[in-house]
Amino acid sequence: MHRSLSVVAVAVALALTAAACSSGGPTSRTASASASGSPARTPSPTPTLDTSGVEPALAALESEYGATIGVVATDTVTGASVSHNRDRRFGYASSIKAFAAAEFLRSVHGADRDERVRWTAADVAAAGHSPVTEQHVADGLSYDELAEAAVRQSDNTALNLVLTRIGGPSGLDAALADLGDDVTRVLHDEPELNTIEPGSTEDTTTPAAFAADLATVLDGDTLSGADTDQLVAWMSGNATGDTLIRAGAPEGWTVADKSGGAGGIRNDVALVTPPGGHPIAVAVLTTKNDPGAVYDDTLVAKTAAVVLDAFQR
């Protein structure tokens, strides 16, 4: 398990290095190589995908499901990308938990991760969906266990406790900004983060921002190698994602994801890896056009199938 996950981290890191070189902004790893006298690596041209069928297919899905779709899928090695409404804002809902866990792993270390945390039954009731923490009101859990519960089981109380440890919503917002994400706006914890007022940017992101964030937190530099592996392992065991990107991926492709959903919002962010191929960072964000409608997992799965098919042609 750890060997294969480390390969993912290295692949993502190489992609970001190549992207920085092509834009004129070297990463620290590239700069170190230049300083030591090693020649700079010239990136290959970004390959062109056949995306001719993507827009019509996604437009048909939007019409069929009465929804708006936003998606970005990017090969983390070549940079080849497929997108639709890449810069449109969507509520992120529980998909933000992957990035809260990433910031926890980045900023909390050693024995601090094992600190035992307690909460009340009232905290669980206020947060909503909390399948793990509701079982541990009496004995508590460690911060590390809470971060895992937030990702694997989408536990709301676990997210709120992890957020408190990393500085609250504002702490996570600042951490994303440090990654270069000046788009995502983290303002609230659970359950308030699920309520998106018309025209508000609070608790929203874009497919482009979230796909880039995912590639960055799994690049092998942002987190240590062991912590990168840990986050991918948590996401690979996500209990709420089987009917989403994982259901739309071709047979034999591996998916490490974090879902989110509330009202008409249904999202999934994932690292998808074809057999023998490059990891692909995918963000699928959807919302029903009728404010009273409920989300549909099949829409996310079909969207993933459309964009991932472009990487097979």
Side-chain angles (χ1 to χ4, degrees), residues 212-295:
D213 289 344
L214 186 65
T216 301
V217 299
L218 297 177
D219 66 5
D221 278 342
T222 303
L223 306 178
S224 70
D227 287 341
T228 302
D229 289 357
Q230 181 64 84
L231 183 57
V232 173
W234 286 345
M235 294 174 67
S236 297
N238 171 28
T240 63
D242 285 348
T243 57
L244 301 170
I245 289 174
R246 193 170 289 121
E251 185 175 356
W253 292 32
T254 62
V255 178
D257 76 306
K258 179 67 198 84
S259 60
I265 297 169
R266 193 54 163 159
N267 306 325
D268 204 20
V269 294
L271 194 71
V272 182
T273 309
H278 306 150
I280 302 165
V282 184
V284 178
L285 309 179
T286 72
T287 186
K288 288 295 187 72
N289 298 330
D290 177 357
V294 296
Y295 65 68

Side-chain angles (χ1 to χ4, degrees), residues 289-310:
N289 298 330
D290 177 357
V294 296
Y295 65 68
D296 196 315
D297 289 5
T298 306
L299 174 60
V300 175
K302 288 184 175 180
T303 297
V306 169
V307 296
L308 293 175
D309 180 63

Side-chain angles (χ1 to χ4, degrees), residues 34 36 38 106 150 252:
S34 298
S36 66
S38 299
R106 189 198 67 80

Side-chain angles (χ1 to χ4, degrees), residues 82-115:
V82 180
S83 67
H84 175 77
N85 285 330
R86 61 179 292 116
D87 296 317
R88 189 189 189 283
R89 284 191 174 273
F90 295 80
Y92 48 64
S94 286
S95 56
I96 195 67
K97 290 169 180 167
F99 302 108
E103 175 55 16
F104 166 77
L105 292 170
R106 189 198 67 80
S107 62
V108 181
H109 302 285
D112 289 341
R113 294 186 182 180
D114 297 324
E115 179 184 348

